[in-house]
Amino acid sequence: MGKKITIEPVTRVEGHGKVTIHLDNDNNFERSRLHIVEFRGFEKFIQGRPYWEAPVTVQRLCGICPVSHHLAAAKAMDVIVGAGTGDGLTPTGEKMRRLMHYGQVFQSHVLHFFHLASPDLLFGIDGDPAIRNVIGIAKMHKDLAVQAVMMRKYGQEIIKVTAGKKIHGTGAIPGGINKHLSLKEKMSLLDGKDPMNADKMIEWSLGGLEFFKNFHKANKDLIDNFAAFPSKHLSLVRKDGALDLYHGVIRAIDADGKKILNDVDSQDYLEHIAEEVKSWSYMKFPYLRKYGPKDGWYRVGPLSRMNTAEFIPSPLAQKEFEIFKAYTNGKPNHSSMHYHWARLIEILHCAEMMKDLLNDPDLMEGELVTKGTKSYEGVGLLEAPRGTLFHHYRINKDDQITMANLIVSTTNNNMPMNLAVESATKQFISGQDKITEGMLNAVEVSIRAYDPCLSCATHAIGKLPLQVKLYDSKNNLIDKRTKD
Amino acid sequence: MEKKQKILFYGYGNIGRQDDGVGVVFSEQLSKWVEDNNLQNIDFDSNYQLNIEDAENIKNYDIVFFVDASTKESVNNFDISSIEPNSDVSFTMHAVSPGFILNICSEIGEHQPKSFLVQIKGYEWEFQQPLTAKTENNLQKTLIFFKKYLKKLLIEKKIEEIDLKSLLKIKND
């Protein structure tokens, strides 16, 4: 008797999706899909609004990564006000924005690794679901939980002093930034009371990496082979090939590491990237035009950034980058679970960059805004925690937005997440007579590695219980399980 | 260790989505009133949503009021209830509950502030501002209640005796 299994929603990811798995009469894999069941409407909503509102308004998309949208919209508006594309800002404008961005990536990555992903590592993919969560971490690994909470708090404080406030920050404005960093703000974060200081954040970031590397040593098969598959990778890189989370040119490589999108200007993204719509998901499927929808899909995010970048411009993270690259002999790394490793290297990079910037006098003085000749179209790209984020706007002569196109980081990973689900299903479920909670969690782990923000990708809110449903080949419901 | 403050009001919600942001607006408006009246030991915070690091923040307080918008039919204008620590681990950090935050605080902060959930009835949740007129009305009723309650508390200096029974008694008077 054939079976259809539904996992809805996928847990410990940001937002709501469901997975359906079809098995044949012998319980072997037939097909699987990650469905995104929320509807997007934000691109329509923002039409008619004045362009200068966009950096603040777009933050309404998501309570998890508002800063990424704030900065991507601001970068697009820089182009519209004639301030250039990323490197046209004043030193103060660019560095304050960078500090804000590093704070955001730092706290987002910390939340994902320590609170969402680490329970699977510490308690096992098939561990007791009653403790395989952040409460379990707090109970049984208290030091780790405390560190993670304080690292989150530090990142949030960085955001607060650069964006102006925690909610609907106003720091980034078209052409620059609206404030300097005060001496008090600088000292509270650079040399604050233990543990709220830059050196402690670096120390703990190194500790997080050691934790992962030790786990990796003891669990090589899981970390290296779980949901691993070859793919193209895409990200921004600095013009000299360095990892750059705030600004750069678009680079894509194929599965062997050959450059296939060779450092393209962000303003020209539409010449190279298109999106396909499928009837079973509200989330689009981006692809590289020259390879078409079937073969043009690619991965984004921390793993891809490690694959496309040639070096990391901060010393401790560079040392870790070299270890990471050596592990695959310099070839692209395609292991989904190595997203976690890459994420931890980026946490360290952000910690180093935050310290450097807090020591930079440009943040405390200097011109805030650049002005230039206005244009009617602008594109803003940055490397958000989950991957490359595209904001594209057109305005009319009355300064109203007439078109908005957003390709959110998670959307770029749509096809890879579907393939990760397929891979995990084949590995854990296919051919099994009995489907356990641990097997279903394995499917979720494969998605969770990508840290998807599904609300963000579809721009909606909502809440659902988790339901797992088994159907026979005639679509009769034969079993059901619900997670509250 | 940092000296404990007495009371924290924590409003949360998305002010860009109409009535969803009423908790944040409540926090802002009561904060201004507290400042104008020079009342001590009452702090305010707000955010889009509850975050795990809030567990670290609330450990410095004896009493915490979480203030949120509510879609519940049972909520008439506004409602107050006690919060107990729970292990209701949400499937997404978009929807962390106050009981979850209290649980984390209890585990890592080794302190459990007396906590209450203030739910203010909302009606519309689109990408718009400001609050709807009906929710604005509910907000003002909630503010009147808390102004009255805080004044009484501070005059009588019985902050330690705050409990759900005393809150509901004043609400229903």
Side-chain angles (χ1 to χ4, degrees):
Chain A
M1 184 183 289
K3 284 180 184 168
K4 174 188 174 189
I5 301 170
T6 303
I7 303 175
E8 181 182 6
V10 178
T11 61
R12 280 185 280 137
V13 301
E14 306 298 359
H16 321 296
K18 69 171 181 177
V19 173
T20 56
I21 301 164
H22 295 258
L23 305 178
D24 66 14
N25 290 339
D26 298 320
N27 288 338
N28 291 317
F29 176 84
E30 268 190 348
R31 70 177 188 277
S32 62
R33 281 174 175 170
L34 169 63
H35 306 252
I36 306 304
V37 292
E38 296 172 289
F39 182 69
R40 60 192 285 165
F42 202 83
E43 289 156 330
K44 193 74 182 169
F45 156 76
I46 201 165
Q47 289 178 21
R49 309 295 302 176
Y51 73 81
W52 53 81
E53 282 186 3
V56 172
T57 308
V58 293
Q59 296 174 95
R60 297 174 193 177
L61 275 168
C62 183
I64 293 292
C65 48
V67 172
S68 300
H69 292 293
H70 179 55
L71 289 173
K75 288 184 75 178
M77 297 313 155
D78 292 343
V79 180
I80 283 176
V81 300
T85 57
D87 45 7
L89 300 190
T90 64
T92 304
E94 181 179 335
K95 289 174 183 175
M96 279 290 278
R97 285 192 191 179
R98 280 184 177 274
L99 181 57
M100 191 192 308
H101 189 45
Y102 291 125
Q104 153 81 353
V105 176
F106 182 77
Q107 57 90 26
S108 176
H109 278 359
V110 165
L111 176 71
H112 179 263
F113 182 74
F114 291 103
H115 297 146
L116 301 180
S118 72
D120 295 318
L121 306 184
L122 287 166
F123 301 117
I125 288 176
D126 58 352
D128 179 0
I131 59 162
R132 197 188 59 218
N133 54 52
V134 67
I135 298 281
I137 297 285
K139 277 184 192 298
M140 301 173 78
H141 301 274
K142 188 176 167 185
D143 289 349
L144 197 66
V146 170
Q147 272 184 29
V149 165
M150 298 310 293
M151 289 168 87
R152 275 277 300 177
K153 189 173 179 182
Y154 187 86
Q156 295 282 22
E157 289 299 316
I158 290 278
I159 292 168
K160 192 174 168 185
V161 300
T162 48
K165 52 183 182 174
K166 283 194 289 189
I167 307 176
H168 284 193
T170 53
I173 56 177
I177 197 87
N178 67 2
K179 74 184 284 281
H180 291 106
L181 194 70
S182 71
L183 181 61
K184 187 181 171 193
E185 290 167 339
K186 168 184 165 167
M187 294 315 296
S188 71
L189 290 161
L190 189 61
D191 200 21
K193 187 182 167 191
D194 190 60
M196 293 292 282
N197 59 68
D199 286 327
K200 182 61 80 175
M201 294 303 122
I202 292 172
E203 179 191 326
W204 280 351
S205 302
L206 284 163
L209 266 161
E210 281 311 302
F211 164 78
F212 180 85
K213 286 191 288 189
N214 287 333
F215 183 85
H216 186 191
K217 266 184 201 165
N219 299 273
K220 274 191 180 298
D221 185 50
L222 170 72
I223 296 296
D224 292 348
N225 300 321
F226 178 80
F229 52 89
S231 75
K232 302 175 180 66
H233 294 270
L234 180 144
S235 82
L236 297 178
V237 294
R238 204 167 72 183
K239 282 178 181 170
D240 61 359
L243 174 77
D244 194 330
L245 300 174
Y246 176 74
H247 187 69
V249 289
I250 308 169
R251 177 181 290 181
I253 58 167
D254 67 15
D256 296 321
K258 184 186 163 199
K259 285 182 197 172
I260 52 174
L261 206 59
N262 202 353
D263 300 354
V264 170
D265 190 302
S266 59
Q267 301 304 299
D268 301 329
Y269 83 102
L270 260 185
E271 292 175 23
H272 305 279
I273 293 166
E275 294 178 277
E276 188 189 26
V277 176
K278 293 187 191 287
S279 60
W280 45 270
S281 177
Y282 282 128
M283 193 156 71
K284 293 179 185 174
F285 288 77
Y287 61 93
L288 295 170
R289 285 184 188 276
K290 67 178 172 182
Y291 296 97
K294 185 170 177 291
D295 298 321
W297 60 272
Y298 52 85
R299 282 194 266 196
V300 299
L303 181 71
S304 299
R305 293 192 282 254
M306 293 299 127
N307 284 330
T308 54
E310 292 161 37
F311 66 100
I312 296 182
S314 62
L316 296 174
Q318 169 63 16
K319 200 174 155 193
E320 297 295 333
F321 177 78
E322 288 166 12
I323 297 168
F324 182 93
K325 297 295 275 187
Y327 194 72
T328 52
N329 298 316
K331 291 288 184 188
N333 185 326
H334 298 301
S335 301
S336 291
M337 294 297 274
H338 286 210
Y339 264 95
H340 298 309
W341 190 359
R343 199 169 279 125
L344 286 158
I345 294 172
E346 289 190 342
I347 289 173
L348 176 60
H349 173 59
C350 288
E352 290 183 281
M353 297 305 284
M354 287 190 289
K355 183 180 178 185
D356 283 356
L357 284 164
L358 286 168
N359 275 310
D360 193 320
D362 284 343
L363 272 72
M364 297 177 63
E365 59 186 13
E367 291 293 320
L368 296 173
V369 178
T370 303
K371 290 178 181 170
T373 305
K374 189 173 154 188
S375 65
Y376 292 88
E377 184 168 6
V379 175
L381 268 63
L382 58 71
E383 285 298 322
R386 296 161 178 84
T388 316
L389 171 63
F390 300 69
H391 276 224
H392 180 190
Y393 303 91
R394 291 195 193 105
I395 65 167
N396 62 19
K397 60 181 173 46
D398 297 320
D399 291 339
Q400 294 168 311
I401 294 170
T402 57
M403 187 283 296
N405 184 42
L406 277 58
I407 306 177
V408 176
S409 317
T410 294
T411 309
N412 289 298
N413 275 333
N414 199 351
M415 181 60 84
M417 286 190 293
N418 271 278
L419 291 173
V421 167
E422 180 180 321
S423 175
T425 304
K426 285 178 177 170
Q427 191 174 344
F428 281 83
I429 293 178
S430 187
Q432 302 291 331
D433 292 331
K434 186 172 169 53
I435 309 299
T436 65
E437 191 278 342
M439 291 176 188
L440 296 176
N441 187 49
V443 176
E444 294 188 46
V445 169
S446 72
I447 302 168
R448 207 173 288 137
Y450 293 80
D451 188 17
C453 185
L454 305 181
S455 286
C456 201
T458 55
H459 317 161
I461 56 171
K463 189 173 181 179
L464 296 165
L466 170 62
Q467 287 192 326
V468 183
K469 292 180 178 173
L470 270 72
Y471 296 87
D472 65 19
S473 56
K474 293 176 182 169
N475 257 353
N476 298 313
L477 183 65
I478 56 172
D479 197 4
K480 185 169 84 170
R481 189 180 302 177
T482 300
K483 263 191 204 173
D484 294 323
Chain B
M1 188 174 166
E2 192 177 337
K3 186 182 180 303
K4 282 180 186 172
Q5 302 297 308
K6 287 296 180 187
I7 301 176
L8 173 70
F9 284 90
Y10 193 121
Y12 58 99
N14 188 340
I15 54 174
R17 300 197 81 148
Q18 286 185 293
D19 298 343
D20 190 46
V22 67
V24 175
V25 180
F26 170 88
S27 190
E28 289 170 355
Q29 294 195 6
L30 191 64
S31 170
K32 185 171 183 312
W33 179 84
V34 163
E35 194 180 332
D36 291 346
N37 287 274
N38 199 27
L39 303 183
Q40 304 298 310
N41 293 330
I42 303 172
D43 287 345
F44 293 86
D45 201 354
S46 54
N47 211 330
Y48 282 101
Q49 61 193 49
L50 297 178
N51 291 297
I52 200 147
E53 60 272 20
D54 294 326
E56 210 279 327
N57 295 337
I58 67 170
K59 79 174 187 189
N60 297 311
Y61 295 89
D62 295 317
I63 294 159
V64 179
F65 289 97
F66 292 95
V67 188
D68 191 13
S70 176
T71 57
K72 287 181 187 165
E73 284 298 320
S74 58
V75 174
N76 181 24
N77 302 322
F78 72 98
D79 196 12
I80 306 171
S81 55
S82 294
I83 300 169
E84 297 300 324
N86 68 48
S87 299
D88 177 20
V89 179
S90 173
F91 55 86
T92 165
M93 288 295 172
H94 278 278
V96 175
S97 72
F100 172 84
I101 296 296
L102 201 55
N103 198 348
I104 295 281
C105 179
S106 178
E107 292 294 342
I108 68 169
E110 294 172 352
H111 171 63
Q112 191 177 304
K114 201 184 289 181
S115 300
F116 302 94
L117 176 62
V118 180
Q119 296 180 91
I120 304 174
K121 183 70 178 287
Y123 306 90
E124 301 288 339
W125 318 92
E126 297 301 318
F127 284 125
Q128 287 177 29
Q129 286 179 288
L131 302 174
T132 60
K134 279 161 72 178
T135 296
E136 178 65 38
N137 186 43
N138 294 341
L139 167 67
Q140 293 310 319
K141 285 179 177 166
T142 317
L143 284 166
I144 288 167
F145 164 76
F146 273 100
K147 288 173 185 174
K148 184 171 141 189
Y149 190 70
L150 288 175
K151 272 195 170 172
K152 182 176 162 62
L153 271 178
L154 294 166
I155 289 166
E156 295 177 356
K157 299 192 182 305
K158 290 181 177 175
I159 289 175
E160 295 76 10
E161 293 177 13
I162 288 182
D163 60 16
L164 186 61
K165 194 175 166 188
S166 66
L167 283 162
L168 292 179
K169 184 173 183 306
I170 293 183
K171 181 174 184 284
N172 296 327
D173 280 347

